[in-house]
């Protein structure tokens, strides 16, 4: 027979995000020139009391003496604290409502401000145990009721003992006085609540850490707002991803681990095991071997345009959604390409190098305007087409070649073949994606077809150009100037060496894969990619995923959402619906999309169902991944 569960919850820094007396001091001392020092002293005394370094009664007396507050300060205090209720308590009102008879607020704070706040959440006034202020005739707070057992040392254990609770007692709090209940043998478990403050000394004494109320409710399998605690979602961010993205994920409640460089396959295999979200840029290879070792991975974020560094099919078969930033750094790459074209046409790289060596070489030899020249763009996608527009605006004639039929922008013209483009262009700029078919599309044969004195630019992918051949054609004078931002092999970090046959060549610009590395681009990426990952985890929406069937879902409301990812085989949807029918479950909404490899089914149902249905759905043949959202 299940025992009744009782929940003992602290108020300061647990139910609310702050210590109430600290806030009261801000109010009562607002006209005091020593307010800042007084508040810091109060916080120091609070911490000593919470860590068990000072007796509670001594801590309380010292703080009240400094606060010097009045009864008229309390309405403002209640108003402020009401806005500072811990977020996880605000969203889990269903738990509070269901267990209101078994929830007790036991606090060393004061009923005077606690009751008005917790009663709004349905917590009974008779279940609030706290201290009481004593006022003088003018309403000044001159002390506290010293006969109240919570005003004394060891007050919380004594208060719980007096309640004589028959059942399992769970304590949720952030301070030593909360741990004392468990220490006295009056609680089944003590959870150190760390959503607002983390006290290492208290964590060492706790049975469990509760980074939020969601974590406590999940561990006890109780009514909760979130199907899975966000603090259990671990994100690993590699390659110096912008701080904005890190903060976005932290604000969502995820554990975020940062690694400043790329990782080798073996390093990532070791690191990926418990990771739910992986963030990379261009250097880290997410291979099948890596994905096979990812036990909890939900999503990979490529904080760049390309995704050729990720085995998209292996990710798909694993049920891992991949998101990138297809538009966020387009402008940055285009601006660099255009700037480098102008610099190469003017032979500036050599002139700049000579100036740094003290050589003044003022000459027009080998320097040309770009106006009237023909730019051949290989790959007329997001970057190629935007380069087309900007180049044309400064008088360059534009032509392009793409495997797919693309609508020409402005006065650009499509070339019937790559050979035609190479033979007729003064400048050749490569902007293809990283698919395997594009490997070495520019080599000796292609360089041989180009005009003598051509300018060559590659800001796309390192493996699309034969760099040894490029070096030969720069050295023999066929290529007037070259700019390369991407290389077949790139260092994992800034601390690793770089080698290339292009180093030291005349009129050659080498940049360390910085085409999209502007603050504006990185800020855009840092906002876009995490937003898509968070949306996928929270709702199941796969909009802009590069490997999953794209589906945009409505916001989930008063329902549970079943996410079923399976091999794209006949009959699976029918089997899913048969299982739901067998369990008497009515479907509120259902969404299905497939590609060649997987089927993605989302089913919204009423919140009341038996757990057996989940077990049955996971056993459907061909299931790759199943999860529940609410």
């Amino acid at each position: 027979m299940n025992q009744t569960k009782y929940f003992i919850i602290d108020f300061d820094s647990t139910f609310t995000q702050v210590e109430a007396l600290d806030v009261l001091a801000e109010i009562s001392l607002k006209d005091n020139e020593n307010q800042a020092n007084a508040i810091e002293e109060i916080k120091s005394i609070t911490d000593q009391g919470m860590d068990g370094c000072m007796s509670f009664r001594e801590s309380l007396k010292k703080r009240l003496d400094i606060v010097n507050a009045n009864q008229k300060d309390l309405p403002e205090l209640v108003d402020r604290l009401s806005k500072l209720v811990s977020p996880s308590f605000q969203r889990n009102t269903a738990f509070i409502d269901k267990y209101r008879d078994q929830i007790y607020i036991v606090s060393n704070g004061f009923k005077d401000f606690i009751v008005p706040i917790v009663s709004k959440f349905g917590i009974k006034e008779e279940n609030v145990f706290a201290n009481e202020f004593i006022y003088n005739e003018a309403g000044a707070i001159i002390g506290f009721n010293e006969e109240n057992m919570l005003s004394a040392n060891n007050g919380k254990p004594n208060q719980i003992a007096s309640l004589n609770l028959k059942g399992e007692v769970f304590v949720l709090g952030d301070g030593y006085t909360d741990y004392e209940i468990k220490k006295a043998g009056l609680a089944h478990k003590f959870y150190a609540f760390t959503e607002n403050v983390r006290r290492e000394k208290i964590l060492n004494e706790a049975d469990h850490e509760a980074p939020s109320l969601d974590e406590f409710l999940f561990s006890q399998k109780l009514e909760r707002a979130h199907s899975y605690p966000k603090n259990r979602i671990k994100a690993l961010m590699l390659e110096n991803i912008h701080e904005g993205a890190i903060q976005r994920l932290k604000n969502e409640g995820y554990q975020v681990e940062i690694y400043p460089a790329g990782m080798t396959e073996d390093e990532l295999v070791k690191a990926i095991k418990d990771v739910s979200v992986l963030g990379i840029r261009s250097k880290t290879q997410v291979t099948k071997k890596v994905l096979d070792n990812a036990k909890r991975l939900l999503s990979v974020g490529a904080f760049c345009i390309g995704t050729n560094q990720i085995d998209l099919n292996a990710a798909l078969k694993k049920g891992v959604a991949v998101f990138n930033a297809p538009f966020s750094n387009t402008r940055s790459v285009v601006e660099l390409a255009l700037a480098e074209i102008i610099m190469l046409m003017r032979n500036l790289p050599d002139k700049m190098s000579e100036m740094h060596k003290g050589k003044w070489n003022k000459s027009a030899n080998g320097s040309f305007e770009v106006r009237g020249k023909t730019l051949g763009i290989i790959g007329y996608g997001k970057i190629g087409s935007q380069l087309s527009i900007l180049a044309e605006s400064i008088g360059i004639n534009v032509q392009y070649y793409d495997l797919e039929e693309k609508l020409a922008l402005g006065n650009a013209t499509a070339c019937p073949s790559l050979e035609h483009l190479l033979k007729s262009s003064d400048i050749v700029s490569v902007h293809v994606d990283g698919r395997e078919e594009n490997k070495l599309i520019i080599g000796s044969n292609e360089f041989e077809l180009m005009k003598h004195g051509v300018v060559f630019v590659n800001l796309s992918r390192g493996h699309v150009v034969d760099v040894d051949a490029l070096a030969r054609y720069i050295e023999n004078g066929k290529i007037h100037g070259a700019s390369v931002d991407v290389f077949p092999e790139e260092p994992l970090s800034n601390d690793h060496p770089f080698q290339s046959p292009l180093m030291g060549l005349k009129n050659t610009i080498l940049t360390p894969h910085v085409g999209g590395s502007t603050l504006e681009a990185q800020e855009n990426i840092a906002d876009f990619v995490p937003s898509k990952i968070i949306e996928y985890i929270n709702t199941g929406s796969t909009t802009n995923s590069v490997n999953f069937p794209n589906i945009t879902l409505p916001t989930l409301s008063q329902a549970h959402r079943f996410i079923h990812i399976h091999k794209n085989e006949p009959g699976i949807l029918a089997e899913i619906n048969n299982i739901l029918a067998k369990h008497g479950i009515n479907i509120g909404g259902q969404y299905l999309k497939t590609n060649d490899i997987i089927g993605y089914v989302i089913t919204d149902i009423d919140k009341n169902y038996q757990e057996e249905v989940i077990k049955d759905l996971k056993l459907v043949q061909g299931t790759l991944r199943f999860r529940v959202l609410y």
Side-chain angles (χ1 to χ4, degrees):
M1 184 172 140
N2 291 331
Q3 287 185 297
T4 302
K5 292 185 177 184
Y6 296 95
F7 309 99
I8 312 302
I9 300 173
D10 184 33
F11 183 77
D12 294 285
S13 295
T14 298
F15 195 91
T16 57
Q17 301 172 51
V18 292
E19 294 290 321
L21 289 186
D22 294 352
V23 180
L24 181 58
E26 292 175 5
I27 297 168
S28 64
L29 300 173
K30 60 186 174 185
D31 297 323
N32 189 316
E33 61 182 15
N34 294 317
Q35 182 201 49
N37 291 334
I39 290 172
E40 282 305 309
E41 186 176 357
I42 290 169
K43 288 181 178 178
S44 175
I45 295 169
T46 298
D47 288 339
Q48 292 177 62
M50 290 296 102
D51 286 339
C53 301
M54 180 186 295
S55 73
F56 172 72
R57 181 162 283 191
E58 181 185 2
S59 163
L60 189 58
K61 284 182 176 179
K62 285 186 174 183
R63 284 182 289 163
L64 284 182
D65 286 344
I66 299 170
V67 167
N68 191 29
N70 191 284
Q71 191 172 16
K72 68 176 184 292
D73 296 321
L74 296 185
E76 183 177 348
L77 175 63
V78 169
D79 182 60
R80 285 203 197 182
L81 293 178
S82 296
K83 297 171 183 174
L84 292 171
V85 172
S86 297
S88 64
F89 277 87
Q90 292 186 50
R91 64 177 167 260
N92 282 292
T93 53
F95 159 71
I96 297 173
D97 184 61
K98 183 173 181 178
Y99 293 96
R100 62 173 59 197
D101 292 331
Q102 295 139 256
I103 293 176
Y104 293 84
I105 300 293
V106 180
S107 171
N108 293 130
F110 291 83
K111 280 187 176 181
D112 309 60
F113 54 76
I114 293 175
V115 169
I117 294 167
V118 301
S119 60
K120 294 176 183 177
F121 287 80
I123 294 174
K124 296 179 176 181
E125 182 174 350
E126 57 265 33
N127 283 10
V128 177
F129 296 91
N131 282 300
E132 300 145 314
F133 286 129
I134 294 177
Y135 309 92
N136 65 16
E137 291 181 357
I141 297 172
I142 57 174
F144 53 88
N145 179 5
E146 296 194 17
E147 293 183 4
N148 186 321
M149 66 176 73
L150 283 163
S151 71
N153 299 332
N154 218 38
K156 286 189 177 181
N158 292 334
Q159 184 67 71
I160 299 303
S162 72
L163 295 174
N164 194 28
L165 301 174
K166 302 297 184 183
E168 290 184 307
V169 176
F170 298 90
V171 177
L172 196 64
D174 65 283
Y176 189 79
T177 57
D178 304 302
Y179 161 65
E180 285 181 329
I181 301 171
K182 171 67 187 299
K183 185 180 179 182
L186 296 165
H188 181 65
K189 286 185 179 178
F190 166 54
Y191 285 77
F193 190 78
T194 56
E195 183 170 344
N196 306 309
V197 63
R198 187 181 180 87
R199 307 183 198 279
E200 293 298 332
K201 187 173 180 180
I202 308 307
L203 278 168
N204 292 336
E205 304 289 359
D207 296 296
H208 300 282
E209 179 181 357
S212 64
L213 182 58
D214 307 279
E215 172 65 28
F216 169 71
L217 299 177
F218 180 82
S219 69
Q220 291 299 317
K221 298 181 180 179
L222 296 168
E223 183 85 12
R224 56 192 181 274
H226 289 160
S227 48
Y228 192 74
K230 293 187 178 181
N231 59 271
R232 291 195 175 202
I233 297 175
K234 182 179 178 181
L236 175 60
M237 299 287 110
L238 309 181
E239 304 184 54
N240 282 320
I241 286 170
H242 191 276
E243 177 59 30
I246 308 298
Q247 200 55 53
R248 181 80 183 270
L249 296 172
K250 285 182 176 178
N251 290 344
E252 188 66 16
Y254 301 166
Q255 298 178 53
V256 182
E257 184 179 335
I258 303 166
Y259 189 77
M263 282 188 177
T264 64
E265 183 179 59
D266 288 341
E267 288 173 334
L268 192 52
V269 162
K270 292 178 182 177
I272 199 73
K273 285 181 173 60
D274 297 322
V275 171
S276 298
V277 175
L278 175 65
I280 62 168
R281 293 177 74 181
S282 57
K283 294 182 176 66
T284 303
Q285 302 295 310
V286 184
T287 63
K288 182 179 184 300
K289 181 179 176 181
V290 169
L291 291 161
D292 285 343
N293 283 272
K295 306 304 180 187
R296 302 180 65 179
L297 193 63
L298 293 172
S299 182
V300 175
F303 285 73
C304 51
I305 291 177
T307 54
N308 59 293
Q309 69 277 39
I310 304 165
D311 189 330
L312 296 178
N313 275 343
L316 189 59
K317 291 173 183 176
K318 187 81 174 180
V320 176
V322 178
F323 297 91
N324 68 337
F327 307 102
S328 300
N329 64 2
T330 302
R331 177 71 184 201
S332 297
V333 177
V334 168
E335 287 187 3
L336 183 62
L338 193 57
E340 290 182 338
I341 287 167
I342 294 171
M343 291 178 70
L344 293 169
M345 290 292 287
R346 297 291 295 272
N347 200 26
L348 290 181
D350 289 350
K351 287 183 168 59
M352 289 187 291
S353 177
E354 289 173 346
M355 287 291 285
H356 280 286
K357 295 173 183 176
K359 185 176 180 181
W360 184 274
N361 183 14
K362 179 177 169 62
S363 169
N365 290 336
S367 296
F368 308 94
E369 288 186 355
V370 295
R371 182 177 53 176
K373 303 300 186 294
T374 297
L375 166 64
I377 299 173
I378 303 174
Y380 203 64
K382 300 174 184 69
I383 293 174
S385 57
Q386 191 169 143
L387 175 60
S388 169
I389 295 169
L390 291 188
E392 189 178 324
S393 71
I394 60 172
I396 298 176
N397 302 316
V398 178
Q399 58 183 9
Y400 66 90
Y401 173 74
D402 198 293
L403 290 176
E404 299 177 13
E405 187 174 343
K406 297 286 181 70
L407 178 67
L409 301 179
N411 294 313
T413 57
C415 289
S417 66
L418 178 59
E419 181 180 348
H420 181 278
L421 179 141
L422 296 174
K423 287 181 174 180
S424 56
S425 297
D426 302 304
I427 307 152
V428 174
S429 191
V430 184
H431 299 285
V432 299
D433 62 31
R435 71 185 73 177
E436 186 63 25
E437 295 83 358
N438 286 331
K439 186 174 182 179
L440 298 180
I441 60 168
I442 304 294
S444 294
N445 292 336
E446 287 71 31
F447 289 125
E448 194 61 43
L449 291 171
M450 294 180 193
K451 286 184 175 183
H452 187 82
V454 69
V455 162
F456 180 78
V457 176
N458 180 24
L459 279 78
S460 61
R461 300 291 183 275
H463 69 265
V464 306
V465 175
D466 182 339
V467 291
D468 292 311
L470 174 59
R472 290 197 303 272
Y473 281 89
I474 295 171
E475 288 173 333
N476 68 25
K478 176 73 177 281
I479 294 176
H480 173 70
S483 170
V484 181
D485 184 52
V486 288
F487 302 87
E489 295 181 7
E490 298 182 359
L492 286 174
S493 75
N494 293 344
D495 297 327
H496 292 77
F498 166 72
Q499 288 292 327
S500 172
L502 300 173
M503 294 167 65
L505 299 182
K506 291 185 64 176
N507 201 27
T508 299
I509 300 172
L510 303 182
T511 49
H513 206 144
V514 293
S517 296
T518 62
L519 287 178
E520 293 89 346
Q522 294 308 306
E523 286 171 1
N524 290 337
I525 293 170
D527 179 64
F528 185 84
V529 176
S531 70
K532 294 303 173 186
I533 291 173
I534 290 168
E535 184 180 23
Y536 171 64
I537 291 175
N538 287 351
T539 72
S541 288
T542 54
T543 310
N544 293 114
S545 172
V546 294
N547 65 333
F548 261 53
N550 274 216
I551 185 168
T552 302
L553 298 167
T555 303
L556 187 62
S557 178
Q558 299 300 312
H560 284 195
R561 178 166 284 169
F562 288 171
I563 305 286
H564 196 279
I565 306 168
H566 55 267
K567 296 176 183 177
N568 187 7
E569 297 174 349
I572 292 183
L573 180 61
E575 189 173 351
I576 289 171
N577 288 339
N578 285 338
I579 290 170
L580 296 176
K582 183 181 77 174
H583 288 276
I585 294 173
N586 186 48
I587 297 173
Q590 193 168 56
Y591 315 89
L592 166 68
K593 233 177 181 184
T594 63
N595 60 22
D596 291 342
I597 296 173
I598 71 163
Y600 189 51
V601 178
I602 298 93
T603 308
D604 291 350
I605 67 166
D606 186 82
K607 293 189 291 183
N608 297 313
Y609 57 88
Q610 298 298 316
E611 289 293 317
E612 284 74 15
V613 68
I614 293 176
K615 295 177 183 177
D616 288 349
L617 288 169
K618 287 181 177 179
L619 291 174
V620 171
Q621 189 172 357
T623 298
L624 298 172
R625 173 160 288 174
F626 177 86
R627 62 189 177 111
V628 180
L629 294 180
Y630 56 84

